[in-house]
Amino acid sequence: MSSSFTIRPSRRVTGTMRVPGDKSISHRALMLGAIASGKTRVSGFLPGEDCMATLSAVRAMGIDVEQHDATTITVNGKGLHGLRAASGALDMGNSGTAMRLFMGLLAAQGFDSELTGDESLSRRPMERVAVPLRLMGAEINTTDGKPPVYISGRRKLRGIRYDLPVASAQLKSALLLAGLYADGDTVLAEPAVTRDHTERMLVSLGQPVRRDGQVVSLSATGQLNGTDMSVPGDLSSAAFFVLAGCLATEGELVIDNVGLNPTRTGILRILELMGADLRVEPATDNCAEPVGRLIVRPSVLQGVAIPPELVPLAIDEFPMVFVAAALAHGETLVSGAAELRHKESDRISVMVAGLRSLGIEVDELPDGARIRGGRFSSGTIDSHGDHRVAMSFAVGAARAAGPVQILDTANVATSFPGFVSQASAVGLAIEANAGG
Ligand code: S3P
């Protein structure tokens, strides 16, 4: 797709906004709702392309999903054994979460499945999920380690104790989903705590999950009960506007109803370390996922060495951290972040190339980068079809010396439908150009 953004310099970011629903939680609401017994009513669902791929897949497997409006759905769950074989391959589009979580879920079904994806997803590693699923008794074939993925059903799974070799919530979640069907306990040791939305949602559906430090374990009860869920605004989407508010020189931005799950808030801690003027007001209501309000004012950011322990807690926000670092005073070191090379693009090399084309001095490292703060020149960025790269540069470009063009932006719709109009509404001078 050749759609692009043009951004012109601006100084003021102001207003009160909400961002679309959390992508990770929306995927899980569909998958777990589908295998729960009875209705799961979901408000705040994200109608982005990634979650719509998951929605199409559960429908293709015989689950009735009522869509009352763009963000309100009812999943009519058919219980743990209610899914039926789809008539063809299930297309996961751009979504690593959809593919990896479905690998765990479908390994345990009484039918075979094939999972495919777009060009970007077809380059991403899937053996990290297939290997432990095979230890549980699953039969799965990848294509040289990547999609398409072929799953043979009708296998009896057994629980395993497994040390995750990478900090990955997708891997952990895939194994927990398979564990719902396994004989014996599924016990997973994480090298670092990762987002725990699957665990929280399982508990809200009546399936206990234990956590002891970095070890998560599940003993299948054989039943999930449908429930009502409210999906908070996606902190990963709000983060672009938090950065926009920091980089502005005037105004105050309030972002309401944002998810504040502590396994996701690493970006707020990183920006605070860099000197952001940021207020976090947790709401007091008691739901499965913490939510609250963010209030951001302009600030002067300073370069820092990003503490590696914050990396898994901010894993999707690193394109933004690179931009923040490029516009901060002094040097920033990102390390311990080699996983960034396996996202929708190789986010280390794509961000380094983008920063250089706007005149920033940066050294690429195997697991991060050393970035010397400066000022963006006018220029053109290739986002390589990576939604978060495109949105991060869009926000940073407001502070450039002249117009910036960002290429290959169609995938912004995978996670943030309405990004351009919401960005314009709070003051960014951004224009979307349709591809020809
Ligand atoms: C996600 C986990 C993370 C994250 C992705 C969403 C999830 O991936 O980058 O955007 O919903 O579980 P990894 O598990 O590969 O780190």
Side-chain angles (χ1 to χ4, degrees), residues 22-25 27-28 50 95-98 100-101 124-125 128 166-174 194-198 236 264 312 314-317 339-340 342-344 347 387-388:
D22 188 280
K23 180 152 75 80
S24 293
I25 299 173
H27 281 297
R28 288 159 170 81
D50 278 10
S95 178
T97 303
R100 296 198 177 114
L101 270 60
R124 297 178 65 185
R128 55 174 63 184
V166 276
S168 164
Q170 292 177 355
L171 170 54
K172 171 180 62 176
S173 300
T194 63
R195 66 188 68 192
D196 64 357
H197 305 302
T198 305
S236 296
R264 294 284 296 281
I315 191 67
D316 288 340
E317 285 66 69
E339 267 298 288
L340 295 176
H342 304 296
K343 297 298 177 186
E344 286 82 331
R347 286 185 174 158
H387 55 137
R388 297 199 199 281

Side-chain angles (χ1 to χ4, degrees), residues 1 12 60 127 275 293:
M1 287 290 263
R12 189 175 171 79
E127 278 295 320
R293 162 186 290 188

Side-chain angles (χ1 to χ4, degrees), residues 345-362:
S345 68
D346 173 344
R347 286 185 174 158
I348 296 178
S349 70
V350 168
M351 289 306 301
V352 166
L355 293 181
R356 284 185 182 146
S357 57
L358 295 183
I360 299 297
E361 272 181 58
V362 41

